[in-house]
Amino acid sequence: MARTRDHGDRVAGTPRRADAERNIAAIITAAAECFARDPDASMTTIAKAAGLGRVTLYAHFPSREQLLRTVLAETIAESAGIIEAVSPDEGPPAEVFAQLIRSCWPLLSRFGSLHVAVQRALPADEVRRRHDQPLAHVERLVARGQAEGAFRTDLPVEWLVTTVYTLLHAAADEAAAGRLATESVGEILEKTLLAMLRPE
């Protein structure tokens, strides 16, 4: 009897789990889109965009900060995948770096004001720490570039990586605010960052 009851619970629970997974996916997608348009997007706005009620939204994400953390984690995981696809450990460092910027910028551009929302809601050290995985690839690339004479060696690798991180997000903020044309930012970033890395 116990085995039958367990089986019944699993069968009965499966649709509920599937519904929950669909709701969570809808919430994350809606939140990413809402934060990309408006860094002050409310939970009510996000619930409406997801086609769900506030009660359902708060059942999965008890706070706006928690939802932002989840959206940020999903975005960073996507960026890490893009960086890995570029194969940063192979090829001429300057060319690889330029390709990395060209590949990553569309993602940064797509999420627009999300970075602004994250900056307003979460501690700066936490936001920076959550970027450790994709930045580790950049750090290895910069270090390799220094070793091969492609990048400047008069500044520490860590500082150069911090500069790259800061300028990438500054560009996203400027584009989101309409002070830079989105379609030109990728080229601007590529020129700016390569000039910064170039040996004297």
Side-chain angles (χ1 to χ4, degrees):
M1 291 295 292
R3 199 160 46 230
T4 302
R5 194 162 49 245
D6 288 344
H7 176 71
D9 288 343
R10 285 198 300 273
V11 171
T14 299
R16 285 197 295 271
R17 286 196 297 272
D19 286 345
E21 289 171 3
R22 282 194 296 271
N23 289 343
I24 290 169
I27 291 166
I28 292 172
T29 298
E33 293 172 354
C34 289
F35 288 133
R37 291 192 301 268
D38 178 11
D40 297 316
S42 67
M43 294 290 269
T44 300
T45 299
I46 294 166
K48 184 176 180 180
L52 300 169
R54 280 168 50 89
V55 172
T56 301
L57 173 60
Y58 278 105
H60 295 297
F61 298 97
S63 70
R64 187 172 180 273
E65 289 75 17
Q66 184 176 337
L67 178 55
L68 264 171
R69 285 186 175 97
T70 301
V71 174
L72 178 62
E74 293 276 338
T75 307
I76 290 173
E78 187 174 349
S79 71
I82 291 171
I83 292 172
E84 289 170 6
V86 173
S87 300
D89 296 324
E90 304 172 8
E95 293 180 17
V96 174
F97 187 86
Q99 185 182 352
L100 187 150
I101 297 302
R102 289 194 298 269
S103 299
C104 287
W105 170 246
L107 177 65
L108 282 169
S109 173
R110 194 171 88 224
F111 285 105
S113 297
L114 172 61
H115 184 244
V116 177
V118 167
Q119 284 180 310
R120 291 177 181 175
L122 304 179
D125 61 337
E126 176 187 343
V127 176
R128 179 64 169 80
R129 188 173 62 252
R130 286 177 175 271
H131 285 81
D132 282 350
Q133 181 185 357
L135 287 178
H137 294 293
V138 178
E139 184 171 339
R140 286 201 307 273
L141 174 58
V142 172
R144 183 165 68 86
Q146 286 185 330
E148 296 178 13
F151 296 153
R152 65 193 303 162
T153 58
D154 59 326
L155 294 173
V157 171
E158 295 79 9
W159 174 247
L160 293 174
V161 172
T162 295
T163 304
V164 171
Y165 168 82
T166 303
L167 286 176
L168 281 172
H169 286 95
D173 292 346
E174 290 296 293
R179 291 187 289 266
L180 279 178
T182 302
E183 62 275 10
S184 64
V185 178
E187 182 180 355
I188 291 171
L189 274 171
E190 183 180 333
K191 290 180 177 179
T192 302
L193 292 172
L194 283 175
M196 181 269 295
L197 290 169
R198 189 176 298 122
E200 294 185 1

